[in-house]
Amino acid sequence: MVYTPRSARRGALLAGSMAVLGLLTACGNGQTVHSNPPITASGTAAPATDASTPATDASTPSAPGSPAAPSAGSPAPTRAASTAVSRATGTSGSAGATAATGTRCHTSELRASVGRNDPGAGQENFPLVLTNASHRTCTLRGFPGAAFVSAGGAQLGPDPRRESGSATTVTLRPGQSAWAGLTFSNPEVSGARTAKPAALLITPPDERDHLKVAWTGGAVPVSGNSSSVFLTVFSPGSAP
């Protein structure tokens, strides 16, 4: 048996204690080595997003009336594009108001009458008067339609012809009137065959429905020489 001095045994004991203390310290610092291999999860990685843009849950539907989110790869709409769409669709309130007040007069909004004859140089001249009977401002532009009819409703003579003239837009506030001339040669002068109408049908410009007015102007030409009846464009007022 080899004799070991006490000092040598004490040194060996101290060295062993230091080694054990070192292992315990390493474990306390979390430097444990794992023997198991890393786990890999399958799936698709989410795309990277700008940190300044809040994330959107794709499973949550958009609120009614809100624009849909653009799909991946689609460019975001620009302010200029939005403005162009607004102009194209006419969403401006002022434009809508202008269009509403500038519409033409409809047959149901008008009252018709025939003014007094103003004969001259073998011609008979009657003003056809349309009055705005509605509560809104409307317009008339161009020629009226007209037809003489019998008591049974049959048309007498051909459709009137239009005289040359430039059409202007006549604006009628409630209660205001416009007139168009109806003229024909005096049958006693022209020798045309005549008939005595019971009524005159007047159709406003660009309308299909007519207004019926009792005819008190006597006989009118319906065929033969100089039997044409002529109409003029509307002008403001109720008489020339």
Side-chain angles (χ1 to χ4, degrees), residues 1 6 14 18 31 53 73 84 88 96 102 128 136 139 142 145 153 168 170-171 176-177 182 186 193 198 205 218:
M1 179 177 180
R6 180 179 293 179
L14 181 60
M18 292 296 292
Q31 297 178 353
T53 303
L128 308 184
R136 73 178 184 99
T139 60
T168 59
V170 181
T171 301
Q176 291 187 323
S177 302
L182 181 147
N186 187 315
R193 188 169 68 87

Side-chain angles (χ1 to χ4, degrees), residues 176-224:
Q176 291 187 323
S177 302
W179 70 276
L182 181 147
T183 182
F184 53 87
S185 296
N186 187 315
E188 295 181 359
V189 175
S190 67
R193 188 169 68 87
T194 65
K196 190 173 182 179
L200 176 67
L201 306 182
I202 303 173
T203 306
D206 301 316
E207 291 289 301
R208 294 182 179 274
D209 297 332
H210 61 261
L211 299 166
K212 187 175 182 179
V213 182
W215 178 255
T216 59
V220 300
V222 293
S223 66

Side-chain angles (χ1 to χ4, degrees), residues 137-190:
T137 298
C138 60
T139 60
L140 292 174
R141 181 183 178 86
F143 296 87
F148 292 111
V149 294
S150 65
Q155 181 171 337
L156 302 175
D159 292 335
R161 301 168 63 182
R162 295 178 175 182
E163 286 190 350
S164 60
S166 299
T168 59
T169 300
V170 181
T171 301
L172 301 181
R173 291 193 295 272
Q176 291 187 323
S177 302
W179 70 276
L182 181 147
T183 182
F184 53 87
S185 296
N186 187 315
E188 295 181 359
V189 175
S190 67

Side-chain angles (χ1 to χ4, degrees), residues 2 56 71 115 228 234 238:
V2 180
T56 302
S71 60
S228 295
F234 275 104
S238 57

Side-chain angles (χ1 to χ4, degrees), residues 47-94:
T49 58
D50 186 357
S52 62
T53 303
T56 302
D57 184 0
S59 63
T60 303
S62 301
S66 63
S71 60
S74 300
T78 62
R79 183 180 300 273
S82 299
T83 303
V85 170
S86 296
R87 291 177 179 175
T89 54
T91 55
S92 172
S94 60

